[in-house]
Amino acid sequence: MKFKKEIDTISKLISRHSGQTVLPEYDLRIDSIPSEQSDNIELYHLVLHQVLFRCYQGRYVLLPKVQETSMEEFNAYHDLRERCGFSNLQSSIEKKLITPEIGTAYELVERLSFLEFLSDVSSELDMNAENEFITFLENNERRKDYYRNFLLQSSSDLLAEASASALGVVGDYGPAQSVLFRVLIDEFGYGSFEKKHSSLFRSTLEGFHLSTNYNHYWYLFDINTFKLHNFIHHLFQNPRNFFLQLGFLIYAESSYQKSTKQNYLYLKRHHPEVDSTYFAEHAHIDIHHSSMVLDEVAIPLAEKFGRQAEIDIMAGISATQQTFKEFGNQLLNVSKVFNILADSGAVSYGLDESISASENCFTPSMMAQTIQSCNACSLQVGGIGALRDPSDFCQFPPGTLGRETRQ
Ligand SMILES: [Fe+2]
Ligand SMILES: [Fe+2]
């Protein structure tokens, strides 16, 4: 375990400074790796992703909503980040967890024709229009619990939606920059706080009685949730990745216009009391964003910068497609396993907000190693509910996170 010593040092420093009452925006905690689990790769990757997650978030201005916040808390957060050395670890963890997957995407696309690739991706999105998660929900009486988990896992990025991509807009790069700035203006609600996409998303979270605080649920995020967040932030925090960023934007805007429409219709059908403006807005505006990014930014810039720019854009699309797919599969597979266990009455549905980040976390392979010594009463799985018998957690797909509960 290459970073074990650094992780232990960070964990100790943080636990000395943050108690249960730490504001979610300034929470720097990561899970620790117990010595008996020091060879568990799944846990190791989860914790490294948590470190990266903390690295990237330090790049943004985060001011909590609570009235009594002091400048001391704000300064302490930034000082502690510095002392933990998060930024020193960033590039070495990226090399381990993020760049190899982007490398695979390059191998897949390096010989492909740019325009043919773009047209294939577009027809694939049209052909695979079915959203398997929504189909699963349609036939399930506990759909509300599974959908709550979808919102919770998505909150990792959507509560600061477009802050990552804003970093790709700053600079000086001609007419394409102004097109991306127009997209950004839409994402930020054309200067109106109520219309900002993250504000619209907050309203949907409220409809499911979820906290709207940035970072609030980090301790229930699956590894694929961290992966998706960190992949996006890795791309946008480095200008060297500009053409990969364009690939991300093309795929994200094009796939989002379809998935948001499905989510909008789903909410209207099954949860009409919940505000679905976030999804309605995207189903409409992302049609424009897709063509703006493709026709007014990516294609003209690829013509100007040539073959390497084309390859970077295609690799960005391919890596995004793969990361989105993994996130979607994880969500669906976790829901399916939970649902099978529910049939035998081995679960309780719901999210108990008293569960705390300081309880131990488990991955399925950890549980398989420690069934005998696990003395948790039950295990919370994301925002869905809890397993009455923690040993059932071994059946979940790799990368799922379970958090001990004492009730
Ligand atoms: Fe948006
Ligand atoms: Fe958009």
Side-chain angles (χ1 to χ4, degrees):
M1 299 284 162
K2 201 171 149 210
F3 304 104
K4 174 89 170 81
K5 221 173 103 215
E6 287 89 339
I7 290 168
D8 286 347
T9 313
I10 292 175
S11 295
K12 274 186 206 134
L13 260 173
I14 295 166
S15 60
R16 266 210 301 278
H17 288 84
S18 45
Q20 298 260 359
T21 54
V22 64
L23 293 164
E25 293 83 354
Y26 298 150
D27 195 344
L28 281 170
R29 286 176 291 177
I30 53 171
D31 280 301
S32 52
I33 302 177
S35 48
E36 67 277 15
Q37 291 293 338
S38 59
D39 57 346
N40 187 304
I41 295 291
E42 202 184 10
L43 175 66
Y44 176 57
H45 283 186
L46 173 79
V47 173
L48 287 186
H49 269 299
Q50 290 175 343
V51 173
L52 261 190
F53 180 76
R54 301 304 192 196
C55 290
Y56 295 135
Q57 291 183 343
R59 180 67 183 74
Y60 305 111
V61 177
L62 301 170
L63 298 179
K65 283 183 289 182
V66 285
Q67 223 30 288
E68 61 274 16
T69 317
S70 69
M71 281 300 290
E72 256 170 75
E73 284 165 294
F74 177 80
N75 290 333
Y77 166 72
H78 289 284
D79 292 347
L80 183 55
R81 273 182 44 78
E82 196 75 5
R83 282 170 49 207
C84 285
F86 279 123
S87 31
N88 303 340
L89 278 171
Q90 183 175 327
S91 79
S92 35
I93 300 179
E94 284 172 335
K95 276 189 195 119
K96 181 167 181 59
L97 294 184
I98 313 260
T99 43
E101 303 208 358
I102 296 177
T104 309
Y106 272 100
E107 283 166 24
L108 287 172
V109 302
E110 63 193 353
R111 288 194 177 75
L112 303 180
S113 136
F114 184 54
L115 293 179
E116 266 175 40
F117 177 79
L118 292 178
S119 125
D120 289 350
V121 171
S122 162
S123 12
E124 210 182 305
L125 277 169
D126 288 336
M127 265 161 26
N128 300 332
E130 191 198 340
N131 181 325
E132 286 185 69
F133 180 61
I134 299 280
T135 309
F136 166 82
L137 299 177
E138 289 293 347
N139 307 312
N140 197 298
E141 281 180 11
R142 300 306 302 233
R143 58 178 76 85
K144 195 173 178 183
D145 298 283
Y146 296 109
Y147 201 78
R148 184 196 305 112
N149 187 44
F150 159 67
L151 292 175
L152 181 151
Q153 303 290 337
S154 304
S155 72
S156 64
D157 209 41
L158 302 187
L159 284 175
E161 183 166 322
S163 281
S165 55
L167 296 174
V169 177
V170 289
D172 180 32
Y173 55 87
Q177 181 181 23
S178 298
V179 178
L180 291 185
F181 188 60
R182 285 209 310 276
V183 173
L184 193 63
I185 291 172
D186 291 340
E187 302 291 343
F188 276 76
Y190 4 98
S192 158
F193 179 66
E194 295 71 33
K195 291 183 181 143
K196 199 174 165 240
H197 288 182
S198 58
S199 300
L200 301 179
F201 182 69
R202 279 191 160 85
S203 183
T204 309
L205 288 181
E206 276 165 6
F208 277 76
H209 309 292
L210 285 164
S211 167
T212 59
N213 290 330
Y214 181 66
N215 253 355
H216 181 89
Y217 293 110
W218 73 269
Y219 58 94
L220 294 173
F221 290 161
D222 281 345
I223 199 167
N224 279 300
T225 299
F226 286 114
K227 241 178 125 171
L228 175 62
H229 175 279
N230 292 342
F231 166 71
I232 298 171
H233 290 248
H234 165 77
L235 291 189
F236 285 95
Q237 293 205 4
N238 186 348
R240 166 71 177 79
N241 295 332
F242 178 68
F243 291 92
L244 286 166
Q245 294 169 16
L246 298 184
F248 167 83
L249 291 173
I250 292 169
Y251 192 80
E253 298 287 359
S254 317
S255 60
Y256 221 47
Q257 60 169 274
K258 294 185 180 10
S259 64
T260 48
K261 188 171 179 188
Q262 292 158 337
N263 277 277
Y264 167 68
L265 295 172
Y266 165 79
L267 285 175
K268 280 274 156 260
R269 235 175 357 257
H270 296 291
H271 312 283
E273 72 290 356
V274 173
D275 183 0
S276 53
T277 317
Y278 174 83
F279 295 107
E281 167 79 359
H282 282 90
H284 150 77
I285 210 162
D286 280 353
I287 298 174
H288 302 292
H289 289 173
S290 308
S291 61
M292 286 163 81
V293 175
L294 188 63
D295 302 328
E296 296 180 60
V297 182
I299 292 179
L301 285 180
E303 277 167 8
K304 186 172 172 186
F305 285 88
R307 183 62 188 159
Q308 189 56 50
E310 290 182 352
I311 294 174
D312 280 21
I313 295 170
M314 289 192 287
I317 292 176
S318 176
T320 307
Q321 189 175 29
Q322 180 61 22
T323 313
F324 279 22
K325 200 165 129 191
E326 285 173 17
F327 178 85
N329 287 346
Q330 173 83 6
L331 184 76
L332 180 65
N333 294 334
V334 167
S335 308
K336 281 181 172 170
V337 175
F338 199 95
N339 199 50
I340 290 168
L341 290 165
D343 285 343
S344 56
V347 306
S348 58
Y349 279 102
L351 173 59
D352 175 358
E353 292 281 352
S354 71
I355 296 166
S356 123
S358 42
E359 299 295 353
N360 293 328
C361 83
F362 283 87
T363 63
S365 63
M366 265 177 88
M367 183 55 78
Q369 281 174 1
T370 55
I371 285 177
Q372 308 304 333
S373 58
C374 173
N375 51 15
C377 298
S378 59
L379 207 68
Q380 178 71 26
V381 181
I384 307 173
L387 307 179
R388 295 217 172 97
D389 178 357
S391 68
D392 284 337
F393 193 55
C394 302
Q395 299 173 43
F396 279 80
T400 316
L401 182 136
R403 189 69 61 181
E404 270 186 1
T405 73
R406 303 272 160 204
Q407 292 149 31

